[in-house]
Amino acid sequence: MKFGFVAKHRGAWPVNLMCEALGVSRGGFCAWLTRPRSQRSLSDEVLGAQVYQSFVRSDRTYGARRVWHDVLEQGQACGLHRIERLMKGYADTWTTIERVELRK
């Protein structure tokens, strides 16, 4: 999370200053930049797409439990709390997508 903040704002602020203020090492930040994405984040991306499709098919009315049942029916094994976490994380994005779709 801290490294993501540093990466996002490194054009506006010096990296050394941000790393020092956040209590992380510059070397750790550089290693984080070159490290490949984790298997969990890659599978979260795929699962997030399935969750979003289920949510849209329900006219944006399904909660995490119903979406979870839809995902299980599609053959994807995952837990309810993972679906809740993904839905909470994507909530702002999905609201923005909805607004853009309504304007077109």
Side-chain angles (χ1 to χ4, degrees):
M1 193 66 143
K2 292 180 182 182
F3 290 144
F5 178 85
V6 174
K8 183 178 180 181
H9 294 64
R10 67 182 169 171
W13 297 92
V15 173
N16 287 340
L17 180 67
M18 287 190 290
C19 286
E20 185 178 327
L22 295 173
V24 296
S25 68
R26 182 180 166 88
F29 171 69
C30 293
W32 178 82
L33 282 176
T34 59
R35 193 175 306 138
R37 288 182 59 194
S38 68
Q39 187 67 29
R40 175 68 172 232
S41 70
L42 294 173
S43 66
D44 276 352
E45 192 172 311
V46 171
L47 184 61
Q50 289 179 332
V51 168
Y52 179 69
Q53 289 172 356
S54 173
F55 184 64
V56 169
R57 280 195 309 264
S58 72
D59 291 329
R60 294 175 167 83
T61 58
Y62 277 9
R65 190 170 305 273
R66 285 185 175 176
V67 169
W68 176 55
H69 287 294
D70 282 352
V71 170
L72 290 177
E73 286 176 5
Q74 294 174 9
Q76 182 78 0
C78 65
L80 174 60
H81 295 293
R82 189 172 181 192
I83 299 296
E84 290 172 344
R85 178 179 54 84
L86 288 172
M87 288 183 77
K88 184 182 283 187
Y90 287 124
D92 293 337
T93 306
W94 293 347
T95 305
T96 305
I97 290 171
E98 181 181 352
R99 289 181 188 149
V100 171
E101 288 175 356
L102 290 175
R103 287 182 186 161
K104 287 184 178 183

PDB file of all heavy atoms in Angstrom, residues 60-81:
ATOM      1  N   ARG A  60     -27.323  -4.970 -10.773  1.00  0.00           N
ATOM      2  CA  ARG A  60     -26.611  -4.338  -9.651  1.00  0.00           C
ATOM      3  C   ARG A  60     -27.394  -4.433  -8.334  1.00  0.00           C
ATOM      4  O   ARG A  60     -27.346  -3.523  -7.516  1.00  0.00           O
ATOM      5  CB  ARG A  60     -26.259  -2.894  -9.986  1.00  0.00           C
ATOM      6  CG  ARG A  60     -25.258  -2.767 -11.106  1.00  0.00           C
ATOM      7  CD  ARG A  60     -25.031  -1.313 -11.480  1.00  0.00           C
ATOM      8  NE  ARG A  60     -23.868  -1.149 -12.322  1.00  0.00           N
ATOM      9  CZ  ARG A  60     -23.846  -1.328 -13.629  1.00  0.00           C
ATOM     10  NH1 ARG A  60     -24.945  -1.708 -14.245  1.00  0.00           N
ATOM     11  NH2 ARG A  60     -22.746  -1.149 -14.314  1.00  0.00           N
ATOM     12  N   THR A  61     -28.116  -5.533  -8.148  1.00  0.00           N
ATOM     13  CA  THR A  61     -28.898  -5.700  -6.920  1.00  0.00           C
ATOM     14  C   THR A  61     -28.350  -6.799  -6.018  1.00  0.00           C
ATOM     15  O   THR A  61     -28.659  -6.800  -4.835  1.00  0.00           O
ATOM     16  CB  THR A  61     -30.363  -6.025  -7.243  1.00  0.00           C
ATOM     17  OG1 THR A  61     -30.416  -7.212  -8.035  1.00  0.00           O
ATOM     18  CG2 THR A  61     -31.025  -4.877  -7.974  1.00  0.00           C
ATOM     19  N   TYR A  62     -27.574  -7.732  -6.553  1.00  0.00           N
ATOM     20  CA  TYR A  62     -27.079  -8.840  -5.750  1.00  0.00           C
ATOM     21  C   TYR A  62     -26.036  -8.368  -4.751  1.00  0.00           C
ATOM     22  O   TYR A  62     -25.195  -7.538  -5.060  1.00  0.00           O
ATOM     23  CB  TYR A  62     -26.441  -9.914  -6.623  1.00  0.00           C
ATOM     24  CG  TYR A  62     -27.401 -10.902  -7.237  1.00  0.00           C
ATOM     25  CD1 TYR A  62     -28.765 -10.727  -7.160  1.00  0.00           C
ATOM     26  CD2 TYR A  62     -26.926 -12.020  -7.903  1.00  0.00           C
ATOM     27  CE1 TYR A  62     -29.634 -11.632  -7.732  1.00  0.00           C
ATOM     28  CE2 TYR A  62     -27.786 -12.936  -8.479  1.00  0.00           C
ATOM     29  CZ  TYR A  62     -29.138 -12.735  -8.384  1.00  0.00           C
ATOM     30  OH  TYR A  62     -29.991 -13.635  -8.946  1.00  0.00           O
ATOM     31  N   GLY A  63     -26.097  -8.936  -3.580  1.00  0.00           N
ATOM     32  CA  GLY A  63     -25.066  -8.714  -2.572  1.00  0.00           C
ATOM     33  C   GLY A  63     -23.985  -9.774  -2.699  1.00  0.00           C
ATOM     34  O   GLY A  63     -24.002 -10.610  -3.613  1.00  0.00           O
ATOM     35  N   ALA A  64     -23.052  -9.755  -1.779  1.00  0.00           N
ATOM     36  CA  ALA A  64     -21.903 -10.655  -1.853  1.00  0.00           C
ATOM     37  C   ALA A  64     -22.309 -12.124  -1.799  1.00  0.00           C
ATOM     38  O   ALA A  64     -21.751 -12.954  -2.519  1.00  0.00           O
ATOM     39  CB  ALA A  64     -20.930 -10.337  -0.729  1.00  0.00           C
ATOM     40  N   ARG A  65     -23.293 -12.454  -0.975  1.00  0.00           N
ATOM     41  CA  ARG A  65     -23.680 -13.857  -0.826  1.00  0.00           C
ATOM     42  C   ARG A  65     -24.257 -14.424  -2.133  1.00  0.00           C
ATOM     43  O   ARG A  65     -23.907 -15.520  -2.555  1.00  0.00           O
ATOM     44  CB  ARG A  65     -24.681 -14.011   0.311  1.00  0.00           C
ATOM     45  CG  ARG A  65     -24.955 -15.445   0.681  1.00  0.00           C
ATOM     46  CD  ARG A  65     -25.758 -15.566   1.955  1.00  0.00           C
ATOM     47  NE  ARG A  65     -25.152 -14.879   3.082  1.00  0.00           N
ATOM     48  CZ  ARG A  65     -24.247 -15.419   3.891  1.00  0.00           C
ATOM     49  NH1 ARG A  65     -23.838 -16.647   3.668  1.00  0.00           N
ATOM     50  NH2 ARG A  65     -23.765 -14.729   4.901  1.00  0.00           N
ATOM     51  N   ARG A  66     -25.130 -13.684  -2.800  1.00  0.00           N
ATOM     52  CA  ARG A  66     -25.706 -14.175  -4.067  1.00  0.00           C
ATOM     53  C   ARG A  66     -24.655 -14.205  -5.172  1.00  0.00           C
ATOM     54  O   ARG A  66     -24.629 -15.129  -5.991  1.00  0.00           O
ATOM     55  CB  ARG A  66     -26.878 -13.297  -4.481  1.00  0.00           C
ATOM     56  CG  ARG A  66     -28.121 -13.545  -3.673  1.00  0.00           C
ATOM     57  CD  ARG A  66     -29.265 -12.734  -4.220  1.00  0.00           C
ATOM     58  NE  ARG A  66     -30.498 -13.048  -3.525  1.00  0.00           N
ATOM     59  CZ  ARG A  66     -31.628 -12.442  -3.750  1.00  0.00           C
ATOM     60  NH1 ARG A  66     -31.697 -11.467  -4.650  1.00  0.00           N
ATOM     61  NH2 ARG A  66     -32.718 -12.778  -3.092  1.00  0.00           N
ATOM     62  N   VAL A  67     -23.792 -13.203  -5.204  1.00  0.00           N
ATOM     63  CA  VAL A  67     -22.710 -13.203  -6.191  1.00  0.00           C
ATOM     64  C   VAL A  67     -21.803 -14.401  -5.947  1.00  0.00           C
ATOM     65  O   VAL A  67     -21.363 -15.066  -6.895  1.00  0.00           O
ATOM     66  CB  VAL A  67     -21.922 -11.873  -6.135  1.00  0.00           C
ATOM     67  CG1 VAL A  67     -20.653 -11.962  -6.957  1.00  0.00           C
ATOM     68  CG2 VAL A  67     -22.787 -10.715  -6.609  1.00  0.00           C
ATOM     69  N   TRP A  68     -21.525 -14.695  -4.690  1.00  0.00           N
ATOM     70  CA  TRP A  68     -20.688 -15.834  -4.338  1.00  0.00           C
ATOM     71  C   TRP A  68     -21.296 -17.131  -4.857  1.00  0.00           C
ATOM     72  O   TRP A  68     -20.601 -17.976  -5.439  1.00  0.00           O
ATOM     73  CB  TRP A  68     -20.518 -15.872  -2.827  1.00  0.00           C
ATOM     74  CG  TRP A  68     -19.768 -17.035  -2.278  1.00  0.00           C
ATOM     75  CD1 TRP A  68     -18.510 -17.453  -2.632  1.00  0.00           C
ATOM     76  CD2 TRP A  68     -20.214 -17.928  -1.266  1.00  0.00           C
ATOM     77  NE1 TRP A  68     -18.145 -18.536  -1.886  1.00  0.00           N
ATOM     78  CE2 TRP A  68     -19.174 -18.858  -1.034  1.00  0.00           C
ATOM     79  CE3 TRP A  68     -21.366 -18.011  -0.508  1.00  0.00           C
ATOM     80  CZ2 TRP A  68     -19.271 -19.867  -0.092  1.00  0.00           C
ATOM     81  CZ3 TRP A  68     -21.458 -19.018   0.436  1.00  0.00           C
ATOM     82  CH2 TRP A  68     -20.421 -19.933   0.629  1.00  0.00           C
ATOM     83  N   HIS A  69     -22.612 -17.304  -4.699  1.00  0.00           N
ATOM     84  CA  HIS A  69     -23.283 -18.501  -5.212  1.00  0.00           C
ATOM     85  C   HIS A  69     -23.184 -18.570  -6.740  1.00  0.00           C
ATOM     86  O   HIS A  69     -22.985 -19.652  -7.289  1.00  0.00           O
ATOM     87  CB  HIS A  69     -24.742 -18.543  -4.765  1.00  0.00           C
ATOM     88  CG  HIS A  69     -24.905 -18.878  -3.321  1.00  0.00           C
ATOM     89  ND1 HIS A  69     -24.566 -20.095  -2.778  1.00  0.00           N
ATOM     90  CD2 HIS A  69     -25.371 -18.140  -2.272  1.00  0.00           C
ATOM     91  CE1 HIS A  69     -24.808 -20.109  -1.492  1.00  0.00           C
ATOM     92  NE2 HIS A  69     -25.304 -18.923  -1.148  1.00  0.00           N
ATOM     93  N   ASP A  70     -23.311 -17.438  -7.415  1.00  0.00           N
ATOM     94  CA  ASP A  70     -23.153 -17.420  -8.871  1.00  0.00           C
ATOM     95  C   ASP A  70     -21.750 -17.847  -9.287  1.00  0.00           C
ATOM     96  O   ASP A  70     -21.575 -18.617 -10.233  1.00  0.00           O
ATOM     97  CB  ASP A  70     -23.436 -16.022  -9.432  1.00  0.00           C
ATOM     98  CG  ASP A  70     -24.919 -15.725  -9.531  1.00  0.00           C
ATOM     99  OD1 ASP A  70     -25.737 -16.645  -9.319  1.00  0.00           O
ATOM    100  OD2 ASP A  70     -25.258 -14.556  -9.824  1.00  0.00           O
ATOM    101  N   VAL A  71     -20.754 -17.346  -8.579  1.00  0.00           N
ATOM    102  CA  VAL A  71     -19.366 -17.678  -8.906  1.00  0.00           C
ATOM    103  C   VAL A  71     -19.104 -19.162  -8.647  1.00  0.00           C
ATOM    104  O   VAL A  71     -18.420 -19.821  -9.433  1.00  0.00           O
ATOM    105  CB  VAL A  71     -18.396 -16.780  -8.093  1.00  0.00           C
ATOM    106  CG1 VAL A  71     -16.966 -17.257  -8.220  1.00  0.00           C
ATOM    107  CG2 VAL A  71     -18.510 -15.330  -8.552  1.00  0.00           C
ATOM    108  N   LEU A  72     -19.663 -19.695  -7.574  1.00  0.00           N
ATOM    109  CA  LEU A  72     -19.509 -21.127  -7.305  1.00  0.00           C
ATOM    110  C   LEU A  72     -20.170 -21.969  -8.389  1.00  0.00           C
ATOM    111  O   LEU A  72     -19.639 -23.010  -8.784  1.00  0.00           O
ATOM    112  CB  LEU A  72     -20.102 -21.482  -5.936  1.00  0.00           C
ATOM    113  CG  LEU A  72     -19.359 -20.961  -4.708  1.00  0.00           C
ATOM    114  CD1 LEU A  72     -20.123 -21.335  -3.450  1.00  0.00           C
ATOM    115  CD2 LEU A  72     -17.942 -21.494  -4.667  1.00  0.00           C
ATOM    116  N   GLU A  73     -21.316 -21.523  -8.901  1.00  0.00           N
ATOM    117  CA  GLU A  73     -22.000 -22.247  -9.979  1.00  0.00           C
ATOM    118  C   GLU A  73     -21.187 -22.235 -11.263  1.00  0.00           C
ATOM    119  O   GLU A  73     -21.287 -23.142 -12.077  1.00  0.00           O
ATOM    120  CB  GLU A  73     -23.376 -21.641 -10.235  1.00  0.00           C
ATOM    121  CG  GLU A  73     -24.390 -21.964  -9.171  1.00  0.00           C
ATOM    122  CD  GLU A  73     -25.724 -21.263  -9.409  1.00  0.00           C
ATOM    123  OE1 GLU A  73     -25.880 -20.610 -10.461  1.00  0.00           O
ATOM    124  OE2 GLU A  73     -26.594 -21.364  -8.528  1.00  0.00           O
ATOM    125  N   GLN A  74     -20.368 -21.197 -11.446  1.00  0.00           N
ATOM    126  CA  GLN A  74     -19.511 -21.103 -12.633  1.00  0.00           C
ATOM    127  C   GLN A  74     -18.277 -21.991 -12.510  1.00  0.00           C
ATOM    128  O   GLN A  74     -17.500 -22.094 -13.452  1.00  0.00           O
ATOM    129  CB  GLN A  74     -19.074 -19.663 -12.863  1.00  0.00           C
ATOM    130  CG  GLN A  74     -20.195 -18.734 -13.230  1.00  0.00           C
ATOM    131  CD  GLN A  74     -19.740 -17.287 -13.302  1.00  0.00           C
ATOM    132  OE1 GLN A  74     -18.553 -16.979 -13.232  1.00  0.00           O
ATOM    133  NE2 GLN A  74     -20.701 -16.389 -13.440  1.00  0.00           N
ATOM    134  N   GLY A  75     -18.090 -22.621 -11.342  1.00  0.00           N
ATOM    135  CA  GLY A  75     -16.977 -23.547 -11.166  1.00  0.00           C
ATOM    136  C   GLY A  75     -15.746 -22.935 -10.528  1.00  0.00           C
ATOM    137  O   GLY A  75     -14.714 -23.589 -10.445  1.00  0.00           O
ATOM    138  N   GLN A  76     -15.835 -21.711 -10.081  1.00  0.00           N
ATOM    139  CA  GLN A  76     -14.703 -21.036  -9.438  1.00  0.00           C
ATOM    140  C   GLN A  76     -14.793 -21.252  -7.933  1.00  0.00           C
ATOM    141  O   GLN A  76     -15.765 -20.852  -7.308  1.00  0.00           O
ATOM    142  CB  GLN A  76     -14.739 -19.546  -9.765  1.00  0.00           C
ATOM    143  CG  GLN A  76     -13.596 -18.751  -9.207  1.00  0.00           C
ATOM    144  CD  GLN A  76     -12.325 -18.910 -10.000  1.00  0.00           C
ATOM    145  OE1 GLN A  76     -12.284 -19.624 -10.987  1.00  0.00           O
ATOM    146  NE2 GLN A  76     -11.291 -18.263  -9.569  1.00  0.00           N
ATOM    147  N   ALA A  77     -13.794 -21.891  -7.346  1.00  0.00           N
ATOM    148  CA  ALA A  77     -13.787 -22.141  -5.907  1.00  0.00           C
ATOM    149  C   ALA A  77     -13.191 -20.937  -5.184  1.00  0.00           C
ATOM    150  O   ALA A  77     -12.067 -20.527  -5.475  1.00  0.00           O
ATOM    151  CB  ALA A  77     -12.977 -23.385  -5.597  1.00  0.00           C
ATOM    152  N   CYS A  78     -13.961 -20.365  -4.280  1.00  0.00           N
ATOM    153  CA  CYS A  78     -13.486 -19.232  -3.485  1.00  0.00           C
ATOM    154  C   CYS A  78     -14.389 -19.082  -2.276  1.00  0.00           C
ATOM    155  O   CYS A  78     -15.446 -19.691  -2.200  1.00  0.00           O
ATOM    156  CB  CYS A  78     -13.463 -17.944  -4.291  1.00  0.00           C
ATOM    157  SG  CYS A  78     -15.078 -17.402  -4.798  1.00  0.00           S
ATOM    158  N   GLY A  79     -13.972 -18.256  -1.349  1.00  0.00           N
ATOM    159  CA  GLY A  79     -14.739 -18.050  -0.135  1.00  0.00           C
ATOM    160  C   GLY A  79     -15.590 -16.795  -0.211  1.00  0.00           C
ATOM    161  O   GLY A  79     -15.355 -15.900  -1.018  1.00  0.00           O
ATOM    162  N   LEU A  80     -16.563 -16.742   0.660  1.00  0.00           N
ATOM    163  CA  LEU A  80     -17.471 -15.594   0.719  1.00  0.00           C
ATOM    164  C   LEU A  80     -16.720 -14.316   1.065  1.00  0.00           C
ATOM    165  O   LEU A  80     -16.980 -13.260   0.489  1.00  0.00           O
ATOM    166  CB  LEU A  80     -18.580 -15.857   1.733  1.00  0.00           C
ATOM    167  CG  LEU A  80     -19.535 -14.707   2.031  1.00  0.00           C
ATOM    168  CD1 LEU A  80     -20.269 -14.272   0.767  1.00  0.00           C
ATOM    169  CD2 LEU A  80     -20.515 -15.099   3.113  1.00  0.00           C
ATOM    170  N   HIS A  81     -15.792 -14.402   2.003  1.00  0.00           N
ATOM    171  CA  HIS A  81     -15.074 -13.201   2.421  1.00  0.00           C
ATOM    172  C   HIS A  81     -14.208 -12.630   1.301  1.00  0.00           C
ATOM    173  O   HIS A  81     -14.010 -11.425   1.218  1.00  0.00           O
ATOM    174  CB  HIS A  81     -14.218 -13.482   3.657  1.00  0.00           C
ATOM    175  CG  HIS A  81     -15.035 -13.822   4.861  1.00  0.00           C
ATOM    176  ND1 HIS A  81     -15.859 -12.900   5.469  1.00  0.00           N
ATOM    177  CD2 HIS A  81     -15.189 -14.972   5.544  1.00  0.00           C
ATOM    178  CE1 HIS A  81     -16.467 -13.469   6.486  1.00  0.00           C
ATOM    179  NE2 HIS A  81     -16.089 -14.733   6.553  1.00  0.00           N
TER     180      HIS A  81
END
